Amino acid sequence: MKFSLRAATAVALLAGFPALVLALVGGLVAFEVFAFQQSVLAAIKLGIITVPATYALLKGLLSVVKRTGDEVDGVLVTEAAQPELWALVRRLAVIAGTRPPDEIYLIGEVNAAVAEQTRWLGLRVLRRRMFIGAPLLAGLREDQLAAVLTHELAHYSNNDTRLAAVTYGGKRAVVGVLSTLDHSDWFQKLIGKLFTLYAKLYFRVSSAVCRRQELAADRLSARAAGNEAASSALRELYAIDAAWDLFMARYAVVGWKAGYLPSEVFGGFAELRDSVDDQLEKIRRTPPDESGPYDSHPPVAVRVAAIDALPDEPIVVFGRGPATALLRGSAAVLDDALLSSLVPEAREKRRVDWPTLVHLSCRGDAIPEALSTLDAAGRAMRRVSTFRTLLDALDAGLISELVVTDAKPDPGAGPRAQREFAKMAVRDGLSSVVQVALADVGLARWNLSWSSPGELEVDEPYASEFGEALDTAVDGNTVELRQLLTSAKVDLDTRPTR
């Protein structure tokens, strides 16, 4: 077992942390006893401040020594269900000189990690677990995945110091104590400042240990799968992370409010990556080259350079095909992993193909404005709010009553400017009404585009003629718009549903 001065210092600081907590708690108790001996009233007043602080500190201290790793996110992958993936992990564990994990979980994050269910600061290990991100399986080659998993197994390996595992757990323990304090209370806030200074010192020392262990794990991953696989995996992780953030924010949950999710999530992710590959290539070529003093990992650029400087002598030659080949029924397995990372109601959403998803979600986005515009017409005309009611309100010149936007014209605007503003606002609402109406009769649709959430396509001749018809309608003449809607077989005496 290799001991370094920094690692030993980190452990000493961690051991001193509970001592600091107990010393402070003991001081508060002694102060309270002294106050009680002098005056019961003074002790009660003092207890209002010290008792909550004492409770918070003791609660935080107990979190340091309790068992960790009980809460598990993700989908458990058994060896019987996925023998190829397990075979790879076992093979890599031999290379890393450690025993394989007891369990493997697939998670819906761009991450791979190993963890141990432990007691007492990691000194007693109950169970080993490995976590593999579904986006990594969907985006990496087999040899790149082998490099990533070898890196994670290296954290178990005897080639690492056992003290490093303690420093990883220690960070979580220190944060746990700080999080129990009520920072709105001036006294606990003062205590928090003391512990924050201690934590900063501990984080600086332990982060340096962690960074050294990351570089050591990188060296082992390069030895296992080769320099190219290890360094390209690091670059690709950064690119996958950027693509996944974009995918989840703009596409995967685009139909959430309407009650839908894509049926082929990772098929869409692959198409998105292909569509933005030029941008992803720039990310691969220029990985981050800076990190903060408390970061547990060195900058990616530093790690890549260190790997590229190593002798390229891979122990095993792995396949260069997609990592998904290691999974049986990969689409369903990856989908299940993603659902496990979302809120429970995700499993209640209807699953539809991507074109249907985009169309329904864009229609859902247009519906609120369309219905608000129709309802405004109903109030203005004191009738049921149908398409015909809206057209009649426009013919009646009730523009100001049809404005549903919260935006307001310039306070100094004159009557003409205010009316022009109202016409523009009503035209937007009317456009939403017409778009939904045409979509519902099959003459318009929102198409999937990986450069935007959805592009509206309207059949001819409506695409060419509706713009002018909308302009004329907000000027108080809906004859042309009525004719176009009627020719499109839109029932003017109805209204769209959500």
Side-chain angles (χ1 to χ4, degrees):
M1 184 181 292
K2 301 177 182 179
F3 291 87
S4 71
L5 179 59
R6 280 186 178 274
T9 303
V11 173
L13 286 170
L14 180 59
F17 194 78
L20 178 62
V21 174
L22 291 175
L24 188 54
V25 168
L28 292 175
V29 171
F31 192 37
E32 181 67 26
V33 171
F34 175 77
F36 186 80
Q37 292 174 343
Q38 302 302 313
S39 168
V40 174
L41 181 60
I44 294 174
K45 291 181 178 180
L46 183 62
I48 295 174
I49 299 174
T50 60
V51 171
T54 301
Y55 171 77
L57 289 172
L58 289 175
K59 180 181 177 182
L61 182 60
L62 289 175
S63 72
V64 176
V65 297
K66 74 177 183 179
R67 186 169 65 184
T68 62
D70 289 346
E71 305 80 15
V72 180
D73 294 324
V75 176
L76 178 64
V77 176
T78 65
E79 190 164 6
Q82 300 296 340
E84 288 81 8
L85 179 61
W86 268 93
L88 174 65
V89 172
R90 291 188 182 281
R91 189 180 185 188
L92 297 175
V94 172
I95 296 173
T98 188
R99 68 179 177 86
D102 300 302
E103 298 170 345
I104 296 178
Y105 290 84
L106 298 189
I107 57 176
E109 303 171 16
V110 184
N111 190 28
V114 290
E116 292 180 324
Q117 185 184 24
T118 64
R119 293 182 187 269
W120 293 99
L121 303 178
L123 297 178
R124 182 185 175 192
V125 178
L126 303 179
R127 183 171 291 273
R128 285 182 166 185
R129 290 170 175 141
M130 171 173 276
F131 300 89
I132 307 174
L136 300 187
L137 283 160
L140 293 176
R141 303 190 313 254
E142 183 181 336
D143 59 338
Q144 292 172 329
L145 179 67
V148 170
L149 299 185
T150 302
H151 173 102
E152 297 305 325
L153 289 166
H155 291 309
Y156 285 149
S157 173
N158 291 330
N159 293 326
D160 282 350
T161 66
R162 187 60 187 268
L163 295 180
V166 179
T167 60
Y168 275 106
K171 280 190 173 185
R172 207 171 287 133
V174 173
V175 171
V177 172
L178 286 171
S179 65
T180 60
L181 295 171
D182 181 3
H183 295 278
S184 64
D185 178 88
W186 69 269
F187 186 64
Q188 293 189 50
K189 184 177 181 180
L190 182 64
I191 295 174
K193 288 183 177 180
L194 171 64
F195 281 104
T196 298
L197 292 174
Y198 194 100
K200 285 182 176 181
L201 174 61
Y202 176 75
F203 287 171
R204 276 186 175 272
V205 175
S206 61
S207 293
V209 176
C210 293
R211 286 193 292 270
R212 290 179 61 184
Q213 297 305 323
E214 293 300 328
L215 292 173
D218 284 344
R219 289 193 293 272
L220 184 56
S221 72
R223 282 186 57 213
N227 293 5
E228 193 280 331
S231 62
S232 66
L234 285 175
R235 294 177 184 273
E236 196 62 36
L237 285 174
Y238 189 49
I240 291 173
D241 190 43
W244 186 251
D245 285 346
L246 173 65
F247 178 72
M248 291 300 295
R250 293 182 56 180
Y251 297 98
V253 293
V254 69
W256 185 272
K257 291 182 179 179
Y260 299 93
L261 281 176
S263 55
E264 290 288 341
V265 177
F266 286 92
F269 182 48
E271 291 185 23
L272 171 68
R273 295 203 318 276
D274 289 342
S275 71
V276 297
D277 191 63
D278 289 344
Q279 294 94 314
L280 295 182
E281 186 57 34
K282 293 178 182 178
I283 293 175
R284 296 183 188 103
R285 289 198 303 266
T286 57
D289 58 2
E290 295 182 356
S291 64
Y294 305 118
D295 289 344
S296 61
H297 289 60
V300 176
V302 171
R303 296 172 65 186
V304 168
I307 290 172
D308 290 341
L310 295 171
D312 192 7
E313 299 176 354
I315 296 175
V316 179
V317 177
F318 295 94
R320 295 177 62 86
T324 50
L326 295 165
L327 294 176
R328 298 185 179 184
S330 60
V333 173
L334 295 179
D335 184 79
D336 201 25
L338 174 62
L339 289 177
S340 74
S341 69
L342 302 176
V343 293
E345 52 264 35
R347 297 186 182 275
E348 301 172 3
K349 303 292 182 181
R350 291 182 61 187
R351 309 301 292 274
V352 294
D353 59 57
W354 278 100
T356 304
L357 175 74
V358 170
H359 175 76
L360 291 175
S361 63
C362 290
R363 181 189 182 278
D365 291 341
I367 275 288
E369 185 175 26
L371 293 181
S372 295
T373 301
L374 290 171
D375 290 340
R379 290 191 296 270
M381 300 294 291
R382 297 182 179 179
R383 285 165 33 192
V384 177
S385 52
T386 63
F387 294 125
R388 192 182 303 278
T389 302
L390 174 58
L391 296 174
D392 290 345
L394 289 168
D395 283 336
L398 303 177
I399 285 291
S400 60
E401 286 88 343
L402 299 179
V403 177
V404 296
T405 178
D406 292 331
K408 303 294 181 184
D410 189 290
R416 181 175 179 180
Q418 291 185 18
R419 182 169 179 81
E420 287 302 314
F421 173 86
K423 287 170 61 176
M424 290 172 51
V426 172
R427 191 189 188 284
D428 289 341
L430 180 61
S431 178
S432 294
V433 171
V434 171
Q435 288 175 12
V436 172
L438 291 178
D440 288 351
V441 295
L443 295 176
R445 68 211 54 83
W446 285 272
N447 294 325
L448 173 63
S449 169
W450 294 114
S451 60
S452 63
E455 296 179 349
L456 181 67
E457 178 187 1
V458 181
D459 292 348
E460 293 293 354
Y462 309 102
S464 302
E465 298 179 5
F466 262 112
E468 184 177 345
L470 291 175
D471 293 334
T472 304
V474 295
D475 284 331
N477 182 358
T478 65
V479 173
E480 183 179 358
L481 183 56
R482 287 175 191 265
Q483 291 175 345
L484 288 171
L485 288 171
T486 300
S487 69
K489 300 189 181 331
V490 173
D491 185 354
L492 299 183
D493 294 314
T494 62
R495 57 182 274 133
T497 57
R498 290 189 181 274

